[in-house]
């Protein structure tokens, strides 16, 4: 994806902020715990916090969480849902926090939007020595037959290049590890995956997939056709044709320790 496309995708979410807050999943509790296991203290920054899906999980984990989010509509949703969380406008490339002021920086389904050449040193700046950088992603568990079928009919806009476990492993393993003047600021990354699920109906799953960046930037006729294909597929499968079901997912975590 080129720079312009990347900007268009990464700034697409605000237009669907309310649907995003209603339909996107939270994160596996064990994944949040693993992400923070080696953090030297309790001060955590949720970077690219969106409407606060991960922020809420961090708060439940009992840490002292701040949120930074560039999109005003997403930030407004977060402030409405979590009025007691310190929530600031900003982005990964210019974080509105002092040096060494947090013990962990976490990002839920957001780190792939950061320009890590700039964001890497910036994240290292706000982290205390020994602090943790962790990216969490919810991906579809395509080891389950009907989920693999859903990924096939959805197309890459609804189920993107890192939205299944195997693709995620490859994609994030080669994610840019921040350096500073050629010196590695972080130790080698670790990866782990945790079972997760989201209760859905066919209609609410369609609504969830419609909040993906690739879908939000799509011309309306193409989006309607893609959502139509997804609806037809879900109606054709016994697992999803009627009533509620659990969408099988994994929360995948990439964890790095600041030197
Ligand atoms: C898929 S949403 C994830 C939101 C939230 N973390 C969650 O788990 O639901 C991606 C978020 O990253 C934000 N974002 C995009 N580019 C960013 C950047 N360069 N720095 C920080 N956040 C960014 C978007 O505005 C959006 O809210």
């Amino acid at each position: 994806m080129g720079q312009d496309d990347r900007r268009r995708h990464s700034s697409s979410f605000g237009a669907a902020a309310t649907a995003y807050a209603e339909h996107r999943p939270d994160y596996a509790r064990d994944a949040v715990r693993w992400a923070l296991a080696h953090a030297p203290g309790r001060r955590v920054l949720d970077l690219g916090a969106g409407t606060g899906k991960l922020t809420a999980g961090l708060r439940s984990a009992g840490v002292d969480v701040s949120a930074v989010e560039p999109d005003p509509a997403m930030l407004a949703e977060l402030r409405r849902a979590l009025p007691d969380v310190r929530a600031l406008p900003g982005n990964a490339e210019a974080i509105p926090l002092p040096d060494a002021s947090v013990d962990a920086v976490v990002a839920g389904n957001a780190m792939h939007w950061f320009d890590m050449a700039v964001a890497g040193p910036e994240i290292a700046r706000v982290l205390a020595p020994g602090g943790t950088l962790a990216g969490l992603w919810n991906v579809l568990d395509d080891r389950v037959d009907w989920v693999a079928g859903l990924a096939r009919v959805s197309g890459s806009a609804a189920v993107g290049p890192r939205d299944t476990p195997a693709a995620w492993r490859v994609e994030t393993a080669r994610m840019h590890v921040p350096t500073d003047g050629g010196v590695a600021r972080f130790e080698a990354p670790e990866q782990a995956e945790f079972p997760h699920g989201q209760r859905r109906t066919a209609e609410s799953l369609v609504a969830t997939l419609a909040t993906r960046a690739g879908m939000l930037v799509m011309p309306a006729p193409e989006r309607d056709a893609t959502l139509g294909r997804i609806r037809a597929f879900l109606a054709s499968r016994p697992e999803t044709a009627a009533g509620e079901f659990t969408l099988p997912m994994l929360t995948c975590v990439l964890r790095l320790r600041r030197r």
Side-chain angles (χ1 to χ4, degrees):
M1 183 182 294
Q3 273 298 55
D4 283 355
D5 259 1
R6 195 190 155 91
R7 240 189 308 275
R8 209 158 57 90
H9 281 71
S10 67
S11 61
S12 65
F13 298 101
T18 308
Y20 192 106
E22 184 177 351
H23 291 295
R24 281 292 190 111
D26 62 2
Y27 294 83
R29 210 176 306 169
D30 287 348
V32 174
R33 221 172 280 139
W34 189 83
L36 298 177
H38 300 316
R42 296 176 60 254
R43 300 165 303 171
V44 178
L45 167 63
D46 184 0
L47 190 52
T51 61
K53 296 278 165 188
L54 179 56
T55 324
L58 291 164
R59 214 180 43 165
S60 303
V63 297
D64 171 13
V65 60
S66 305
V68 166
E69 164 59 38
D71 187 290
M74 298 293 267
L75 188 60
E77 279 293 333
L78 188 151
R79 286 179 167 148
R80 192 188 50 73
L82 301 168
D84 53 336
V85 167
R86 180 160 74 127
L88 305 168
N91 58 48
E93 295 77 16
I95 302 172
L97 292 181
D99 296 359
S101 58
V102 294
D103 302 297
V105 172
V106 298
N109 276 77
M111 206 164 143
H112 53 281
W113 298 123
F114 303 167
D115 174 359
M116 285 306 276
V118 182
E122 183 62 353
I123 291 167
R125 178 185 70 74
V126 301
L127 272 176
T132 296
L133 165 61
L136 290 83
W137 286 265
N138 279 324
V139 307
L140 297 180
D141 189 353
D142 65 348
R143 296 168 303 185
V144 177
D145 184 59
W146 76 262
V147 178
L150 173 66
R152 269 195 305 276
V153 302
S154 297
S156 61
V159 176
R162 73 188 68 71
D163 289 336
T164 59
W168 173 84
R169 238 170 274 133
V170 174
E171 183 75 16
T172 57
R174 61 160 192 259
M175 250 177 122
H176 186 75
V177 177
T179 61
D180 188 8
V183 180
R185 303 296 300 269
F186 289 84
E187 289 171 6
E190 302 168 273
Q191 295 177 312
E193 293 151 26
F194 301 85
H196 196 34
Q198 186 185 20
R199 291 298 283 168
R200 296 281 79 186
T201 61
E203 257 327 291
S204 67
L205 178 51
V206 169
T208 301
L209 295 173
T211 66
R212 312 281 324 200
M215 300 291 285
L216 293 171
V217 301
M218 212 182 245
E222 198 184 331
R223 182 171 55 239
D224 292 348
T226 305
L227 295 176
R229 266 199 323 275
I230 294 171
R231 260 191 208 100
F233 173 79
L234 295 173
S236 76
R237 294 291 305 212
E239 298 90 342
T240 56
E244 276 203 341
F245 53 86
T246 297
L247 172 66
M249 300 188 300
L250 298 174
T251 298
C252 299
V253 189
L254 182 74
R255 181 175 76 182
L256 299 92
R257 183 173 181 274
R258 190 201 190 289
R259 289 181 194 276

